[in-house]
Amino acid sequence: QVQVVESGGGLMQAGGSLRLSCAASGSISSINAMGWYRQAPGKQRELVAIISSDGSTNYADSVKGRFTISRDNAKNTMYLQMNSLKPDDTAVYSCYANIFGRSVVGGPLTSRGYWGQGTQVTVSS
């Protein structure tokens, strides 16, 4: 079956940097769009950045120029480099991947979205 797992969150002072990773594993034929979302306490989940299979990217206005999304298709892994962090960046960051694969062992090939479990990023002032 397919899984996506984030890593790299933590506590950082304002102005610092963190790098998040999202690794997809399992019976994967191909990965389409991948993206990072975040949800701060008391707020709705918002899109941070998205990257297509051909590498084109899109960012939320609040992170443009500070965050960089990238992917390594050979490793089925996506990254989010976060620089010049601000306290407002504090949130649980989750990765999303649209994957063409088998969600269960021996099952049919299907295209569906998968979410990671989330990783906490806390930025202190």
Side-chain angles (χ1 to χ4, degrees):
Q1 63 275 30
V2 175
Q3 285 186 314
V4 291
V5 178
E6 304 99 335
S7 61
L11 175 63
M12 178 56 63
Q13 286 189 331
S17 298
L18 282 173
R19 188 193 196 206
L20 305 182
S21 299
C22 171
S25 62
S27 182
I28 296 172
S29 180
S30 62
I31 302 178
N32 302 312
M34 302 180 81
W36 288 98
Y37 291 76
R38 68 185 181 186
Q39 186 167 20
K43 295 186 177 181
Q44 288 190 332
R45 183 166 60 191
E46 62 173 352
L47 175 66
V48 176
I50 191 167
I51 184 166
S52 67
S53 56
D54 65 3
S56 59
T57 60
N58 219 334
Y59 296 91
D61 287 343
S62 59
V63 306
K64 280 181 182 177
R66 300 188 298 121
F67 291 10
T68 302
I69 190 172
S70 61
R71 62 191 284 174
D72 184 335
N73 290 330
K75 296 181 179 180
N76 289 337
T77 300
M78 172 180 63
Y79 306 96
L80 185 68
Q81 178 66 42
M82 304 185 293
N83 299 329
S84 302
L85 283 162
K86 304 175 180 179
D88 283 349
D89 294 320
T90 296
V92 174
Y93 285 70
S94 300
C95 76
Y96 171 86
N98 185 275
I99 296 174
F100 185 61
R102 302 182 195 279
S103 58
V104 294
V105 176
L109 283 168
T110 58
S111 182
R112 53 158 285 193
Y114 293 84
W115 289 93
Q117 81 286 357
T119 185
Q120 177 70 45
V121 171
T122 302
V123 184
S124 62
S125 56

